Amino acid sequence: MPAIVGVAQVITLGSSSVFHIGDVYKIMPFATAKTFSGAGSFNTGEQLNVHNQLSSTNTSDPDVIDQNNFLNM
């Protein structure tokens, strides 16, 4: 369905990012990434108070491949 879009300001885009406005048939990623982080890693805000007594991050990956993208060109 067509849409009327007003002003869109884009400051920066990463090398594998997608910026989409309007109709689209297919969006395919050209890159994938896996991020491991512990408890409280991505907390943002003012006056943040986080208490993590004992934390460990499991980084084992038995299936090795999570998302294939080698056919996306």
Side-chain angles (χ1 to χ4, degrees):
M1 176 177 220
I4 298 173
V5 179
V7 177
Q9 180 181 11
V10 178
I11 303 299
T12 183
L13 287 175
S15 61
S16 62
S17 60
V18 174
F19 178 72
H20 164 71
I21 294 179
D23 297 339
V24 67
Y25 172 70
K26 187 186 302 185
I27 297 177
M28 296 185 302
F30 288 105
T32 58
K34 184 182 294 187
T35 303
F36 298 107
S37 61
S41 295
F42 297 114
N43 292 326
T44 58
E46 296 178 7
Q47 298 178 356
L48 194 65
N49 192 4
V50 178
H51 298 279
N52 295 319
Q53 299 299 320
L54 180 62
S55 175
S56 65
T57 302
N58 184 6
T59 59
S60 68
D61 187 12
D63 61 350
V64 181
I65 298 173
D66 293 327
Q67 181 180 13
N68 295 329
N69 65 349
F70 57 86
L71 297 176
N72 294 351
M73 297 203 179

